[in-house]
Amino acid sequence: MIVFSLGFLFQSVLVLGSFSVFVYFWKNKKSQPKTKSVLAGSALVLMISLYFFVLSSLDFIHLLSGNAETAKGECIWTHYDGGKNSWVEFTVGGLALQTGTNDFPKIEEGSFSCEAKYLPYTKKVIEIQVHD
């Protein structure tokens, strides 16, 4: 939950920062020489960050209200290590979900029966139960 909240906070700062850069250069477009390229770049960053901010906001509402989705079935747990970026992806009944490598340290790579609670928009796992 803390990692998700920090990501949500980062996306909020990114939206506000790109919006403020866009507004500043929009107001001062005659005095700045490279205004068009900065406006285009900040508009692109603003649109992308707004998209992810909306998805995270919807998931944050689901997280706070306790309305997480549940998937049951045979889980295939796969660990990907890409140097600095590593994550865990697993499939539950054809649904691909992902989580961080340190979120569930006791689960090993492989196939097993499980029940996972996840956020519906970003498909991030918040809880998993392994069945014997």
Side-chain angles (χ1 to χ4, degrees):
M1 172 126 168
I2 291 173
V3 172
F4 181 78
S5 300
L6 290 175
F8 182 73
L9 180 64
F10 173 73
Q11 290 169 351
S12 303
V13 169
L14 189 62
V15 167
L16 291 174
S18 60
F19 181 71
S20 63
V21 167
F22 183 81
V23 169
Y24 173 78
F25 277 95
W26 183 263
K27 285 183 177 181
N28 300 320
K29 56 183 161 182
K30 292 182 181 176
S31 63
Q32 302 291 335
K34 295 185 178 182
T35 302
K36 290 182 182 179
S37 61
V38 173
L39 280 174
S42 62
L44 180 65
V45 170
L46 180 62
M47 287 188 295
I48 292 170
S49 61
L50 263 175
Y51 173 74
F52 287 112
F53 177 76
V54 168
L55 287 182
S56 294
S57 298
L58 293 172
D59 273 347
F60 196 63
I61 292 168
H62 280 274
L63 183 65
L64 291 178
S65 64
N67 294 335
E69 299 286 326
T70 304
K72 297 179 186 178
E74 188 69 21
C75 296
I76 302 169
W77 190 270
T78 310
H79 178 81
Y80 293 99
D81 189 11
K84 291 183 179 179
N85 298 327
S86 57
W87 69 95
V88 173
E89 180 177 299
F90 67 101
T91 308
V92 183
L95 178 67
L97 303 171
Q98 63 178 329
T99 185
T101 55
N102 298 328
D103 293 343
F104 305 102
K106 295 182 181 179
I107 299 177
E108 295 181 13
E109 194 167 349
S111 180
F112 49 88
S113 177
C114 74
E115 180 178 343
K117 288 187 180 181
Y118 64 95
L119 299 172
Y121 294 100
T122 57
K123 305 288 191 243
K124 297 226 183 236
V125 177
I126 55 174
E127 183 181 327
I128 188 167
Q129 295 177 346
V130 177
H131 302 293
D132 294 326

